[in-house]
Amino acid sequence: MTDIKKGALLVLNSGSSSVKFTVFQVGDADQKIALYFGGQLDGIGSSAHLKVKTAAKELLADDSWEHLDQGTVPAILPHLLEWIESKLPADLPLIGAGHRVVHGGETFDKPMLITDEIIEKLTSLAPLAPLHQPQNVAAIKALAASRPDLPQVACYDTAFHRTIPAINGTFAIPKEYTDAGVTRYGFHGLSYEYIAYNLRQNKPDLAKGKVVVAHLGSGASLAALQDGVSIDTSMGFSALDGIPMGTRPGSMDPGVLIYLMREHNMDVDDLEKMLYYKCGILGISDISNDMRDIEENQEPGAVLALDIFCQRTAKQIASLAVSLGGIDALVFTAGIGENGPIIRDKVCADLAFMGIKLDAEKNDTRGVELISTEESVPVMVIPTDEEFMIAQHAVNILSA
Ligand code: ADP
C-alpha cells in the first residue's frame, strides 16, 4: 500500500429524489480522513434544494436549485459535482468517489473499485433491491460519464453480513429457492462495520465479545457481532424484515400477503407500495412515521405504535443474544437510537431479566456513551458514521 496523495474524496448516497453527500479531506501528513463539508440535494424532480454544512457545522449553502433541476438525480449530478469542485481549494483536488450501494448480492463481500463489469453485475442485482439499487447504479454511471478519470469505489450495505452462518441465514423454504439466492442478506452493514471499528478503537475488550447493535433509524435493524464479525441480523432478504420501522412492517405472517392478494385484489405493486411506505409506525399510529411525533403523543394509536416498536426491538435483542450465546454489550445507534432516551428506556426495561439496567440520568444526558448502571451489561450510545466507513474503504482501495 502506498500513501494516497492529498485530495478530496466524495462519498455519495443516492436515492430516487435526493443525494446525500460528504466530502472528506484525505492524504494529509498523518493519513487521517477528515470531514470537510457535507449535505444533501433533495426534492429533485419537484423543487431541488441544496443544503450544505462545513465540518464546523457552519452553513455553506441553503439554496433552491430549481433552475438546475432536470427531473432526475443523474441529470443534476454533474451540476452538483461542479458545485463541490468550486468549493475545493486548488491543493485539494477531487481524487475519488465512494458510493453506498444497497446490494452486493451473494458474491460481493467487500468494497471494490468500480469497473464496467462491476456496473453490469450491480445492474443485474436490481431485482434484489428494486427501489434502491437502480438509483445507486444510475449515480455511478452519471459520475463515470461526466468524470471518466475519477476512480469510484462501491461499498455494499450487505457485504458486512456475508459472514452470517447458514443456521441464521437460511429461510425454511424449499432448497431450490435457497440455492437461487433467496436467503438472509441483511442491511445497514456499513453502520455495523463502523460500530465494530469504533469499539475496536475505543473499547478493544468489548469489541472482542458478544455485542448486539440496534441501528434504529427510519429504517431499523439489529445485528449480532462476535469479535466484530456479523453472525446474525434482523433484516432478511429485503429491508422489510425484522422490527417495525417508520413505514415498513418488519417480520409478519406471510399468510397476510396471500390473503390481501386473494381477498383485497392487491397485486405485487400494491403490496410493495403498502409494505415499504404505509406500514410500521405510520401504519399502526395512523399519525406519523417519525418517532418524534409519536414518542410523547398520548393518542391511543401513537401509544400502541411506541409500545410495539420498543417491545419488538427488545424481543429482537433477546433473540440475537441467543444467536450469540450471551451478551457482553448492547449498542444503540442511528436517528432514534442516538436521540431517543424514552425509547432506549422502554426497550431496556423489557430486558431487565437479561441483566440490562439503564442509569436514568446518563440515558437522559446527550453525548454520554455508557448509559447503563455499574452492575448492568454495558449499554452504549455510539453515533454511527457510514460515510466515514465508505471514505476509509475508498482510501484503502485507492492507495492499494
Ligand atoms: P435514515 O438514515 O434511516 O433515514 P436516521 O438514522 O437519520 O434515518 O433516523 C431518522 C429517524 O430518527 C427519524 O425518522 C426520527 O424518527 C428519528 N429521530 C430523530 N431524532 C429523534 C429524537 N430526538 N427522538 C426520537 N426519534 C428521533
Side-chain angles (χ1 to χ4, degrees), residues 48 64-72 75-76 79-80 83:
S64 166
W65 269 37
E66 276 184 66
H67 59 295
L68 294 168
D69 193 352
Q70 289 153 270
T72 67
I76 207 167
H79 298 292
L80 180 62
W83 184 91

Side-chain angles (χ1 to χ4, degrees), residues 126 161 375:
H161 296 299
E375 322 70 72

Side-chain angles (χ1 to χ4, degrees), residues 58-289:
E58 280 156 9
L59 208 57
L60 193 60
D62 193 3
D63 306 321
S64 166
W65 269 37
E66 276 184 66
H67 59 295
L68 294 168
D69 193 352
Q70 289 153 270
T72 67
V73 170
I76 207 167
L77 254 186
H79 298 292
L80 180 62
L81 203 59
E82 218 172 275
W83 184 91
I84 288 170
E85 290 197 294
S86 77
K87 299 292 170 200
L88 295 174
D91 66 343
L92 208 64
L94 202 57
I95 55 165
H99 293 264
R100 180 176 179 181
V101 177
V102 67
H103 225 296
E106 287 192 288
T107 48
F108 291 167
D109 60 357
K110 53 177 164 314
M112 55 193 58
L113 197 65
I114 296 171
T115 60
D116 287 346
E117 284 116 278
I118 300 288
I119 294 181
E120 223 171 278
K121 174 75 179 160
L122 294 181
T123 307
S124 76
L125 293 174
L128 294 177
L131 300 181
H132 297 107
Q133 191 84 347
Q135 330 289 352
N136 301 155
V137 174
I140 291 170
K141 284 183 174 167
L143 215 58
S146 74
R147 291 292 302 277
D149 295 333
L150 191 72
Q152 301 192 63
V153 171
C155 299
Y156 309 103
D157 259 332
T158 51
F160 186 67
H161 296 299
R162 298 314 297 153
T163 45
I164 291 177
I167 189 169
N168 297 329
T170 310
F171 297 135
I173 56 173
K175 189 171 176 299
E176 60 182 296
Y177 300 116
T178 304
D179 293 345
V182 183
T183 175
R184 184 180 305 286
Y185 289 101
F187 298 87
H188 295 133
L190 291 156
S191 175
Y192 296 125
E193 196 178 3
Y194 175 79
I195 299 297
Y197 160 87
N198 182 296
L199 286 174
R200 263 198 313 277
Q201 300 290 316
N202 302 315
K203 297 270 188 304
D205 289 342
L206 276 186
K208 291 195 190 109
K210 305 170 195 304
V211 179
V212 175
V213 185
H215 175 110
L216 309 179
S218 56
S221 72
L222 296 95
L225 310 187
Q226 170 77 64
D227 196 6
V229 170
S230 173
I231 65 142
D232 200 359
T233 191
S234 64
M235 276 184 174
F237 175 77
S238 74
L240 293 169
D241 202 6
I243 58 168
M245 303 163 227
T247 59
R248 293 173 242 161
S251 309
M252 59 181 285
D253 177 359
V256 171
L257 306 182
I258 298 171
Y259 172 82
L260 291 176
M261 291 181 88
R262 195 169 278 147
E263 300 299 327
H264 289 254
N265 296 321
M266 289 177 79
D267 64 17
V268 172
D269 291 335
D270 298 329
L271 280 181
E272 186 173 67
K273 212 178 287 166
M274 181 194 88
L275 292 169
Y276 278 94
Y277 302 116
K278 296 184 182 170
C279 292
I281 302 305
L282 174 65
I284 303 165
S285 69
D286 209 15
I287 295 171
S288 169
N289 64 322

Side-chain angles (χ1 to χ4, degrees), residues 13 20 100 188 215-220 246 248 289-293 295 333-341 343 366 384 386:
N13 182 357
K20 286 186 191 156
R100 180 176 179 181
H188 295 133
H215 175 110
L216 309 179
S218 56
R248 293 173 242 161
N289 64 322
D290 193 317
M291 262 312 170
R292 284 165 291 198
D293 302 331
E295 61 185 356
T333 194
I336 299 170
E338 293 165 26
N339 304 300
I343 289 151
R366 185 172 284 276
T384 195
E386 291 147 301

Side-chain angles (χ1 to χ4, degrees), residues 289-341:
N289 64 322
D290 193 317
M291 262 312 170
R292 284 165 291 198
D293 302 331
I294 299 296
E295 61 185 356
E296 292 183 89
N297 189 320
Q298 294 312 309
E299 293 284 324
V303 172
L304 183 62
L306 185 72
D307 286 349
I308 291 176
F309 180 81
C310 294
Q311 202 222 39
R312 302 260 166 102
T313 301
K315 278 184 181 171
Q316 190 66 62
I317 291 166
S319 159
L320 292 175
V322 170
S323 302
L324 285 165
I327 181 167
D328 298 321
L330 170 63
V331 176
F332 285 99
T333 194
I336 299 170
E338 293 165 26
N339 304 300

